Amino acid sequence: MYQQDNRDAYFERKEEEKEARRDRWRLTMGLMEFLAVVAGVAVTLVLVLLIVSLLSWLRQDASATFDVILALFK
């Protein structure tokens, strides 16, 4: 009887350790997922800023180019 109780306690402790490892793994994966989302948002904002900058430059360059071309025809 005593040996059976020890065996049950051993397996119960091992099961609790497995559950604790699973919980730590879930917490770690949740944190990594959160950090990945934050990084993705930051990269998206940088890319949007680059596109806005490119379009602004393109508008200014096109205006300057057309001014030069129209000056040739005057």
Side-chain angles (χ1 to χ4, degrees), residues 51-69:
I51 289 173
V52 168
S53 175
L54 175 66
L55 291 176
S56 174
W57 172 83
L58 186 61
R59 187 178 61 230
Q60 290 173 356
D61 189 56
S63 176
T65 301
F66 287 128
D67 286 345
V68 169
I69 291 173

Side-chain angles (χ1 to χ4, degrees), residues 1-31:
M1 181 83 163
Y2 179 72
Q3 192 174 18
Q4 182 65 29
D5 289 341
N6 278 344
R7 202 175 292 153
D8 289 343
Y10 172 79
F11 287 117
E12 193 172 311
R13 190 176 72 242
K14 286 296 185 184
E15 195 61 36
E16 288 173 0
E17 289 173 1
K18 280 184 191 178
E19 191 64 35
R21 280 194 303 269
R22 276 190 216 118
D23 289 343
R24 283 193 302 271
W25 186 251
R26 283 186 195 130
L27 178 66
T28 303
M29 288 297 101
L31 183 60

Side-chain angles (χ1 to χ4, degrees), residues 39-56:
V41 168
V43 168
T44 301
L45 288 175
V46 168
L47 291 175
V48 167
L49 289 173
L50 284 171
I51 289 173
V52 168
S53 175
L54 175 66
L55 291 176
S56 174

